[in-house]
Amino acid sequence: MKYLCLVYANENNLHSLPESPHDSECHAYASQAADTGVLLAGQALQPVETATTVRVRGDQVTVTDGPFAETKEQLAGFYMIDARDLNEAIAFAEKIPPARVGSIEVRPVRELDV
Amino acid sequence: MPLPPVSGVTAFIEKLYREQSRRILATLIRLLGSFELAEEALHDAFSVAIKQWPTQGIPENPRAWLISTGRFKAIDKLRRQERFKQLAQEHAEISEHAIVDGNENLDYIEDDSLRLIFTCCHPALSTEARVALTLREVCGLTTEEVASAFLTKPTTLAQRIVRAKRKIKNANIPYEIPQSEDIPKRLNTVLQVIYLVFNEGYSASAGEQLQRSELTNEAIRLARLLCSLMDEPEVHGLLALMLFQASRQQARIGAGGELLRLHEQDRSLWNQAMITEADVLVKAALSAKHIGVYSLQAAIAGVHATATTSAETDWREILGLYNLLLQINNSPVVTLNRAVAVGHVFGPEAALNEIEQLIVKEHLKDYYLLHSTHAYFLQELGDTKSAAASYQRALSFTEQQHERDFLERCIRELN
């Protein structure tokens, strides 16, 4: 079963706390998970100041600056994984390096009803 | 087996339902992979038993018969529902690997109760959901019973249970006993649920009734079940703690319905059978390699429970146990409780010193017991004016009628 692990953290101190992970650590964790087939896809994201929100209402397209919602912690990256069940997904999430300074939201993937 | 009279069979089935239905449900959930399907299957299996057993006799192994009948009924139902065609196929495949007759590994079936407990108390569920699910699925209380015990509307509670079951299904929370290295951490949420149920029964957070014995009894029953399923010192510790507390249930309410403090209670009303049982449990728990928080709290409750009179309470022993407890659980509540022991060993000034540190740090400022304990030691010191003010502050932080009555009595006794 697929789970999306969303990494949320406060962008202002994500990289500056004593516990903050280095990119090399995140890369090593992702590479090892990709080798074992657990990690399907994963990326770190640019800060929310680079975000653009797009909406379509009728034939009207609106493009606005910034994220969809202002939050205390921002989406900083994601890992799409293949896990046996929620316990395995939680065990994976616990070891995602930025979990030490932010939080990981674990969401099961919904298969489209087609 | 010869045919007993019909009324005898009905009584037998009723007894079987009371004593075994939760264990059968636990196995059906594993076999069918769904709470909903398992509940329907359980109901169907007992319906068939009521129809068949009076004429065809009671099967040799009633539980295995009910499990296999329930499973068969569920798969049959799935097959008949066209839109579940795909699902039925999957379940049929599963069932080939999990045939239940009298031959399936008995340990595996016994473990189903434990699987059910760990699933209902999974940390990915909210605390409220864990409590509701455990009482509903493991204890077999009806939704109405759980709702009334927690003074919630049945519809709210039913929704909570539905949502939790949906999460178990959609997020794929596995139906399994955690691996041994995860047991301590996962067991903790289970014990928390049990103690929460107990505490809600021991001093209901709202309403006129101070004690709800249906909840304290259920919590004790759950802990006993858990003790029988796994040999973990903290489970024994929690059971001991609850038994020590429950042993005072008759004595802690006075003739006028008022809440009595330990030193005011008639100790002859304490339930000695419970105390003896708890004493054995706590001694075993304390001899374990790692002593946990429930075992230590049980040991403290045990010192009180085995003191013949209030004056003979070994407060030094209690203080020593609190020092140990503080080392593994450095929380404001433990600090407050330890302050009481400090007061009895070193006098009211020492206790006030501890309590005032909590007040300065603004810990527990909404907790009525902080203020009433503060008041108690101020009174001991002879400062009735400050004591009265602290009792008043305590009053503003509890809605529980018995606790309010108790505080008002303390204020009256000051004058």
Side-chain angles (χ1 to χ4, degrees), chain B residues 332-333 335-337 339 352 354-360 362-378 390-391 393-394 397:
Chain B
V333 172
T335 308
L336 176 63
N337 291 331
L352 286 170
E354 300 278 333
I355 294 165
E356 275 151 19
Q357 279 182 40
L358 284 172
I359 295 173
V360 169
E362 298 207 339
H363 285 155
L364 307 174
K365 58 179 179 188
D366 299 344
Y367 189 44
Y368 90 95
L369 280 174
L370 172 79
H371 302 290
S372 68
T373 312
H374 191 205
Y376 175 82
F377 285 109
L378 285 167
S390 283
Y391 277 129
R393 215 166 298 131
F397 292 115

Side-chain angles (χ1 to χ4, degrees), chain A residues 1 3 84-87 94 108, chain B residues 122 124 170-174 176:
Chain A
M1 186 161 162
Y3 293 86
R84 187 170 49 97
D85 51 42
L86 184 65
N87 284 357
E94 280 173 5
Chain B
H122 197 280
N170 292 342
N172 199 13
I173 293 178
E176 64 182 21

Side-chain angles (χ1 to χ4, degrees), chain B residues 291-307:
Chain B
I291 301 175
V293 288
Y294 292 110
S295 306
L296 278 172
Q297 290 179 80
I300 292 164
V303 178
H304 286 295
T306 49

